[in-house]
Amino acid sequence: MSVISYAVQSRQKNIRLRSTSGGTFSEIARSFIKTGGCVCAAGYDEQGKVVHKLINTISEIDELCESKYVQSNLNNCFAEVESCLSSSRKVLFVGTPCQVAGVKAYLRNKDEKLYTIDLVCYGVPSPMIYIEWRAEIERVYKKKIAYVHFRDKSFGYAAPNVKIVFKDGSSAEQTFLIKSYMKTFMSGLNVRPSCSECAFKGIDRCSDLTFGDCWHIGVFQKAMDDNLGTTSVYVHSPKGSMLLDMIKNQVNISQIDTQQEIKLDGRKINESVQKNPNSIIFFNDARTLPYDVLVKKWVPDSKKEMLVTIIKRHAKNLPFFKKMIKKVRS
């Protein structure tokens, strides 16, 4: 079938606020589990490492929500997916395009009850750098991390914010250290070399759905442009249409032009990340330099970045900003 595209938002604002985009994964996962299925997607292990895990209860969904900007460890999840399918349970697998292709290859077409969602993928950062970043934060703050929000919406969907929540309930954001990991990623330094020659690009995919960010929702549907997040959903198969149909009463949905959305927000559907010529040197340094020295060398804050950080850090305490955020969230 030809690709059909939609802009999708959960009707529950609390779901959208804790989701990276429009809360579409959360709604599909809930409906999928309610109808007897299992969901396999990226969560965390006890050490805070990002791992794929299989769940079958609604209470476990929140951990799998939000994008995790690090390569996940698949561990034994392909075999667990196969076991569920063998017991006649349907499974929803969510991952990068290469991970979806991997699980389908592993199953060797024994996937009648497998449903898949992949992502508009920029590339994947190194788990080593991620672990060192977390360790440095815990060292500096002298607290254990409970959760990492890579794209917190405290400043709105249009201004993603990395926020760290500690186990004592406190949080931290808008510091050079906390922002540094994503800076290494977005600069292309901290990206797998293979991602610059990705074999899984293109609009025609083996997945049932592809999720991305619909940053330009106002171009397509002005009434949906509320700065809380919108998911671009590309439908590749009848199974994908079935997944969307399951949540039609829980979401706001509007069909959008596929090529226009790719041009505006989804270029990475077709394009691999450009290789940073310094990435090899960066990774060599990462093996020998302490994390704080590494990031100060490779992604130091400019004066403009420092000024923006100071403004954003203090703006949240200003009455007009609090009022604006409260209005958006209500």
Side-chain angles (χ1 to χ4, degrees), residues 10 28 80 85 91 95-96 101 144 166 177 188 200 251 261 288 316:
S10 170
I28 289 178
E80 293 175 9
L85 294 172
V91 177
T96 59
K144 291 294 182 181
F166 296 102
L177 172 58
F200 303 95
V251 299
E261 173 56 10
T288 58
K316 289 179 70 175

Side-chain angles (χ1 to χ4, degrees), residues 130-143:
Y130 166 74
I131 291 300
E132 292 185 359
W133 172 63
R134 283 181 60 108
E136 180 65 7
I137 291 172
E138 291 184 340
R139 185 189 70 80
V140 169
Y141 286 87
K142 297 180 172 59
K143 299 176 183 181

Side-chain angles (χ1 to χ4, degrees), residues 71-266:
Q71 181 180 331
S72 64
N73 190 330
L74 292 166
N75 291 321
N76 199 41
C77 74
F78 284 6
E80 293 175 9
V81 167
E82 184 177 37
S83 178
C84 281
L85 294 172
S86 297
S87 63
S88 295
R89 295 193 71 176
K90 61 181 181 178
V91 177
L92 173 65
F93 182 91
V94 184
T96 59
C98 55
Q99 289 173 333
V100 169
V103 71
K104 292 179 80 72
Y106 177 89
L107 293 169
R108 297 177 184 175
N109 297 320
K110 296 181 293 183
D111 57 2
E112 182 182 348
K113 290 182 177 292
L114 177 70
Y115 296 75
T116 57
I117 299 173
D118 69 7
L119 314 167
V120 178
C121 184
Y122 179 85
V124 291
S126 161
M128 176 186 73
I129 304 296
Y130 166 74
I131 291 300
E132 292 185 359
W133 172 63
R134 283 181 60 108
E136 180 65 7
I137 291 172
E138 291 184 340
R139 185 189 70 80
V140 169
Y141 286 87
K142 297 180 172 59
K143 299 176 183 181
K144 291 294 182 181
I145 294 172
Y147 201 89
V148 178
H149 297 280
F150 285 102
R151 282 175 50 189
D152 168 68
K153 295 177 180 176
S154 295
F155 299 95
Y157 175 61
N161 172 53
V162 181
K163 183 175 183 178
I164 305 296
V165 178
F166 296 102
K167 290 186 176 180
D168 66 359
S170 63
S171 62
E173 59 191 327
Q174 290 301 313
T175 69
F176 169 71
L177 172 58
I178 290 173
K179 295 190 300 178
S180 63
Y181 173 78
M182 287 300 286
K183 288 183 70 177
T184 67
F185 173 51
M186 297 309 296
S187 67
L189 290 167
N190 180 18
V191 180
R192 278 185 66 111
S194 59
C195 292
S196 64
E197 298 177 356
C198 179
F200 303 95
K201 293 295 182 179
I203 190 61
D204 295 320
R205 302 195 168 197
C206 63
S207 62
D208 299 307
L209 297 175
T210 296
F211 282 180
D213 283 291
C214 190
W215 298 107
H216 290 82
I217 179 59
V219 173
F220 301 104
Q221 189 61 258
K222 192 68 176 177
M224 293 174 70
D225 189 8
D226 58 4
N227 200 27
L228 292 182
T230 306
T231 312
S232 299
V233 180
Y234 304 86
V235 183
H236 303 290
S237 71
K239 281 185 179 178
S241 296
M242 288 171 60
L243 290 174
L244 276 188
D245 192 60
M246 290 172 65
I247 62 169
K248 62 184 179 183
N249 295 324
Q250 286 88 256
V251 299
N252 296 319
I253 185 167
S254 177
Q255 187 169 345
I256 57 179
D257 181 82
T258 297
Q259 293 306 318
Q260 187 178 10
E261 173 56 10
I262 290 175
K263 183 178 180 180
L264 290 171
D265 300 315

Side-chain angles (χ1 to χ4, degrees), residues 255-322:
Q255 187 169 345
I256 57 179
D257 181 82
T258 297
Q259 293 306 318
Q260 187 178 10
E261 173 56 10
I262 290 175
K263 183 178 180 180
L264 290 171
D265 300 315
R267 288 187 300 114
K268 285 296 180 280
I269 283 182
N270 296 317
E271 300 175 8
S272 295
V273 61
Q274 186 173 353
K275 187 174 183 178
N276 188 314
N278 293 315
S279 61
I280 293 176
I281 306 172
F282 169 80
F283 279 119
N284 286 337
D285 277 353
R287 294 183 181 93
T288 58
L289 297 178
Y291 182 84
D292 60 332
V293 177
L294 177 74
V295 293
K296 286 175 183 175
K297 174 181 178 179
W298 285 101
V299 288
D301 261 353
S302 65
K303 290 183 179 180
K304 178 180 178 181
E305 287 173 317
M306 287 189 282
L307 179 60
V308 170
T309 295
I310 292 170
I311 292 172
K312 289 178 74 174
R313 191 184 302 163
H314 294 287
K316 289 179 70 175
N317 297 318
L318 297 176
F320 81 89
F321 189 88
K322 288 182 176 180

